[in-house]
Amino acid sequence: MVKNGTTAKSGTRKVATAVAAAASVTGMVFAAAPATAAAYPTSTFTIKYGASYYSGTVIWQNRSVAVTGTFNAVGCRRVYAIAKSDNTQLDYRSSSTHCNSTAAAPFALTTDIAGGANNVGLWMSTENPNDILTSVYCYRGESVC
């Protein structure tokens, strides 16, 4: 009878050891999963004038704003971006003049103040910067402009 009791204890120990080992491995797998940084908020935009368009994404970073987009110019056109904190202008950029072409038109806007920019204006003009054809404002916290 002692023999059977020993076998039972030995079998129980083996099961307990296997369960503990599995739990340990599972715990290591969960513990080893890397923490991911939260993505920066984004806003998508499209501005159109006739067949010309500028379409892309505003990425709201801590002390800068990245604007990525595709610019399709029919005729000669330029696109612009201005970053603001409320009504205070922080940075301003423009593309070169594009004529009857499609190209990437990214902007890196510096917004080196606490909290960064809370709005970005985007607009399209003819080759004359004062001849504004269409525009849109994007606001931090809104996914679509």
Side-chain angles (χ1 to χ4, degrees), residues 54-143:
Y54 183 39
S55 180
T57 304
V58 176
I59 304 164
W60 304 94
Q61 299 167 343
N62 294 331
R63 291 191 175 252
S64 65
V65 174
V67 179
T68 61
T70 301
F71 179 31
N72 179 58
V74 177
C76 292
R77 307 277 187 255
R78 293 178 77 143
V79 288
Y80 304 82
I82 186 170
K84 294 181 175 182
S85 176
D86 297 324
N87 291 321
T88 304
Q89 179 179 324
L90 302 173
D91 199 6
Y92 166 84
R93 302 274 183 235
S94 73
S95 71
S96 58
T97 300
H98 294 252
C99 297
N100 299 314
S101 64
T102 302
F107 296 108
L109 302 164
T110 301
T111 60
D112 199 14
I113 64 166
N118 60 16
N119 66 87
V120 170
L122 302 163
W123 66 96
M124 183 186 308
S125 75
T126 64
E127 61 271 29
N128 175 353
N130 297 319
D131 188 12
I132 297 173
L133 302 172
T134 187
S135 64
V136 68
Y137 264 86
C138 299
Y139 295 90
R140 183 185 288 263
E142 294 183 8
S143 60

